């Protein structure tokens, strides 16, 4: 009987480990392919648990990511996309009504198809420290998010 309990405990522990959240790192500014934000979203969608996407793109200054023409894949699992993890980015610490945030990740949506969205969500999602620029007419940005230091320029 003791061995059966040990086996059950081991299987439950293994299941709990496989459901732990994962962290995926964006290393490319490309619209798709290995290391892209699209790839990281796809990987997070395929992983159990509330995952995180961080950024580690080589070099200094602002990193401009090309948004795929039809937008990024739909987020289907709980996810945090954290632009503040990019080297040089700084979260806002100023008093309410002003900002001293330094954003280093920009999503350039100028190549998007009309009547689409940069991000489509069907799961709880937090987006932090990103700039979304160049939204063409008819393209929506993102909705239903916890937004912190998100900027939009046309």
């Amino acid at each position: 009987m003791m061995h059966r309990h040990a086996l059950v405990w081991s299987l439950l522990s293994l299941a709990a480990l496989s459901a732990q959240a994962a962290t995926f790192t964006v290393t490319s500014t490309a619209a798709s392919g290995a290391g892209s934000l699209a790839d990281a979203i796809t990987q997070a969608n395929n992983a159990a648990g509330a995952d995180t996407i961080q950024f580690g793109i080589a070099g200094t200054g602002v990193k401009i990511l090309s948004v795929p023409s039809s937008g990024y894949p739909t987020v289907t699992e709980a996810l945090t996309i954290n632009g503040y993890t990019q080297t040089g980015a700084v979260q806002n610490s100023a008093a309410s009504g002003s900002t001293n945030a330094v954003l280093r990740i920009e999503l350039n949506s100028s190549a998007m198809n009309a009547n689409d969205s940069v991000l489509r969500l069907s799961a709880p999602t937090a987006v932090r420290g990103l700039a979304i620029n160049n939204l063409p007419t008819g393209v929506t940005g993102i909705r239903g998010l916890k937004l912190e230091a998100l900027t939009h320029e046309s």
Side-chain angles (χ1 to χ4, degrees):
M1 192 65 153
M2 188 69 125
H3 293 289
R4 181 182 294 166
H5 290 295
L7 178 60
V8 169
W9 177 253
S10 295
L11 290 174
L12 289 173
S13 297
L14 185 60
L17 285 175
S18 67
Q20 289 181 344
T23 299
F24 303 96
T25 304
V26 175
T27 58
S28 169
T29 59
S32 61
S36 68
L37 179 56
D39 183 52
I41 292 170
T42 299
Q43 289 184 55
N45 284 341
N46 292 326
D51 301 313
T52 299
I53 293 176
Q54 64 184 16
F55 293 82
I57 301 170
T60 60
V62 174
K63 303 302 170 196
I64 301 172
L65 282 66
S66 301
V67 177
S69 61
S70 59
Y72 288 107
T74 299
V75 175
T76 60
E77 295 282 328
L79 181 63
T80 298
I81 302 172
N82 190 354
Y84 290 123
T85 56
Q86 177 64 33
T87 300
V90 178
Q91 284 187 240
N92 182 41
S93 62
S96 180
S98 61
T99 185
N100 61 1
V102 177
L103 303 180
R104 292 290 186 238
I105 299 295
E106 175 183 324
L107 305 181
N108 181 345
S109 59
S110 62
M112 287 191 63
N113 300 325
N115 303 315
D116 218 331
S117 297
V118 174
L119 283 173
R120 293 174 299 280
L121 311 172
S122 65
T125 306
V127 175
R128 305 177 71 234
L130 300 180
I132 301 177
N133 292 328
N134 302 313
L135 287 172
T137 302
V139 170
T140 58
I142 46 184
R143 293 178 237 171
L145 299 176
K146 176 183 176 188
L147 301 177
E148 297 177 32
L150 182 78
T151 64
H152 169 247
E153 297 175 8
S154 294

